Amino acid sequence: MTHVVPADPQVLVTVKKKAQPSRSWAVLDSNGETTLLDVDKYAIMHRVNIHARDLRILDPLLSYPSTILGRDGAIVLNLEHIKAIITAEEVLLRDPSGEYVIPVVQELQRHLPVVNAINQGPEAIGHIDAEAADECVSPFEFRALEVTLESICSFLAARTLELETAAYPALDELTSLISSRNLDRVRKLKSAMTRLTARVQKVRDALEQLLDDDDDMADLYLSRKLATSSPVSGSGAANWYAVSPTIGSKISKASRGSIATIHGDENDVEELEMLLEAYFMQIDGTLNKLTTLREYIDDTEDYINIQLDNHRNQLIQLELFLSSGSVCLSVYSLVAAIFGMNIPFTWNDNHGYVFKWVVIISGLLSALLFILIMSYARLKGLVGS
């Protein structure tokens, strides 16, 4: 069920501050109910209790690297098209009407409602899928984080598959026929691959950076922090747990016995580490596919350059043949010009038979000169054997 509510006037900052543009947010609670908010950043800061500099990370007008940050009471997530704030009780998604954000909202609506089924007794549990019921519970913020990571990894994997489907046939066609059309097509695909690789690399770096720091991962345990600061009863604590949202949860069953309680070691980040490692491996596999595609493109470019060099060499050889023939004909023309001048010479009288031998000898000398030039060029490797 979706509600649309106006901004709370009590949280709007109106004292000598410049008016802030409002942004559209979708707020999803543990029941999967969605509330649409059209508020400025001060209302969001008041709602989730985070600093303005942390909220600025989600501003699409500013260039911030992909990141997952854990703050006192929230997780700030800026990855790809998803800009979200996750708390221990709700998820706030920016621009929920976006083309690629709508499926994420739908996935959260579909998976988050099972959170209360555990507390509603066997009747409610009976409505849970058998495979899901077998899964161990995990904190609310991790379920929301898993949905967003699954969406991002699946989105990038789908874009990679589309690129592979278009690129490999285009490269094969270019190999068989080098033309301006095929070259332009491959150039556009290579540009698209470069942009997609950069996007995948950003997500991978964000996950790797988080996995390298146990303190940063510990900051993402919002439910554990809340339980430590405000102890609750066993029934209340169960509200923070539910079935993992995706089929075949990324968290292995072997580790679930050690994370069944929220009052565990504050430095224990094994559950989150396993979750992040699973998606890190998935995004790393996508990056490997793009790397393989890049290598294939580079190999194709090398092959094309070899073909172009071969054609260029053939043209150079043809030019050499033509130039050599021109030189030999020039020699023959020089002899003909000398004997063709209309100048009276005594040796022109009674020596008409000499003309025949001049033509023959000049032709033979020109042919011999052409053979000598070609032999020298072949000796120097300028033409093929």
Side-chain angles (χ1 to χ4, degrees):
M1 182 178 181
T2 303
H3 307 281
V4 179
V5 298
D8 187 353
Q10 296 180 356
V11 300
L12 297 178
V13 178
T14 58
V15 182
K16 295 182 180 181
K17 285 192 176 182
K18 183 179 179 180
Q20 296 292 327
S22 60
R23 299 290 183 180
S24 177
W25 293 81
V27 181
L28 295 96
D29 59 17
S30 58
N31 295 320
E33 294 186 358
T34 305
T35 303
L36 299 180
L37 300 178
D38 191 12
V39 296
D40 60 16
K41 67 177 183 180
Y42 295 109
I44 297 299
M45 289 165 53
H46 182 272
R47 184 183 185 98
V48 298
N49 191 26
I50 62 174
H51 198 274
R53 64 174 178 270
D54 298 326
L55 189 60
R56 196 178 298 119
I57 296 175
L58 304 181
D59 193 341
L61 300 180
L62 301 177
S63 178
Y64 278 91
S66 299
T67 185
I68 303 175
L69 295 177
R71 290 301 180 249
D72 291 338
I75 299 174
V76 181
L77 186 144
N78 178 24
L79 293 177
E80 269 298 303
H81 52 279
I82 299 180
K83 302 179 184 300
I85 300 175
I86 303 174
T87 69
E89 298 175 348
E90 61 184 12
V91 180
L92 291 83
L93 279 173
R94 187 165 189 166
D95 298 329
S97 59
E99 178 183 358
Y100 301 118
V101 182
I102 292 178
V104 182
V105 176
Q106 294 174 347
E107 285 297 312
L108 290 171
Q109 290 174 337
R110 182 158 47 248
H111 295 296
L112 292 181
V114 298
V115 66
N116 290 326
I118 298 178
N119 295 328
Q120 295 175 0
E123 295 180 359
I125 294 178
H127 297 289
I128 304 178
D129 183 78
E131 182 178 355
D134 184 62
E135 300 289 339
C136 187
V137 294
S138 59
F140 172 84
E141 62 270 20
F142 289 176
R143 298 197 310 277
L145 182 62
E146 186 174 0
V147 171
T148 55
L149 291 178
E150 178 71 25
S151 174
I152 293 169
C153 293
S154 300
F155 174 80
L156 293 176
R159 301 290 82 77
T160 301
L161 180 59
E162 292 177 359
L163 184 61
E164 287 179 327
T165 304
Y168 284 113
L171 293 171
D172 293 338
E173 184 177 354
L174 177 61
T175 302
S176 60
L177 176 61
I178 303 175
S179 64
S180 300
R181 174 179 171 274
N182 291 337
L183 286 171
D184 185 65
R185 181 183 176 189
V186 171
R187 179 187 62 80
K188 293 179 180 179
L189 290 172
K190 185 177 180 180
S191 299
M193 182 205 63
T194 302
R195 293 191 297 269
L196 182 58
T197 301
R199 294 163 61 185
V200 174
Q201 185 69 50
K202 289 180 180 180
V203 176
R204 182 186 182 278
D205 291 343
L207 293 176
E208 184 178 21
Q209 182 178 2
L210 188 59
L211 283 168
D212 289 341
D213 195 327
D214 289 348
D215 292 335
D216 289 343
M217 287 191 287
D219 290 338
L220 303 187
Y221 280 78
L222 305 180
S223 296
R224 187 162 64 189
K225 292 181 180 180
L226 185 60
T228 303
S229 59
S230 301
V232 295
S233 63
S235 60
N239 284 325
W240 300 332
Y241 290 81
V243 177
S244 181
T246 56
I247 297 177
S249 173
K250 305 296 183 182
I251 305 173
S252 69
K253 297 180 181 180
S255 67
R256 291 168 188 157
S258 62
I259 59 174
T261 63
I262 59 176
H263 295 287
D265 184 5
E266 293 183 358
N267 296 323
D268 182 15
V269 294
E270 181 181 359
E271 176 185 7
L272 179 60
E273 185 176 10
M274 296 180 65
L275 176 65
L276 295 177
E277 283 181 350
Y279 287 105
F280 176 81
M281 293 176 61
Q282 183 174 344
I283 200 69
D284 190 57
T286 301
L287 184 61
N288 289 337
K289 291 182 180 179
L290 291 172
T291 303
T292 302
L293 179 59
R294 174 179 291 276
E295 293 175 353
Y296 192 85
I297 291 178
D298 292 340
D299 292 342
T300 302
E301 288 180 343
D302 293 340
Y303 176 79
I304 296 301
N305 290 332
I306 293 174
Q307 292 292 330
L308 294 177
D309 290 341
N310 183 48
H311 293 321
R312 191 179 299 111
N313 292 337
Q314 291 177 354
L315 292 175
I316 293 175
Q317 291 180 15
L318 177 61
E319 182 182 6
L320 179 60
F321 276 109
L322 294 177
S323 299
S324 302
S326 299
V327 171
C328 296
L329 289 177
S330 297
V331 174
Y332 188 81
S333 299
L334 176 62
V335 175
I338 293 175
F339 284 91
M341 290 187 295
N342 190 17
I343 300 177
F345 288 105
T346 56
W347 48 268
N348 282 338
D349 300 332
N350 302 320
H351 293 87
Y353 65 92
V354 176
F355 177 77
K356 177 180 68 175
W357 292 106
V358 169
V359 172
I360 295 174
I361 294 174
S362 299
L364 292 175
L365 290 176
S366 298
L368 179 61
L369 179 62
F370 181 78
I371 293 173
L372 290 175
I373 294 174
M374 289 295 100
S375 299
Y376 179 79
R378 184 173 289 107
L379 180 63
K380 293 297 182 179
L382 300 178
V383 294
S385 57

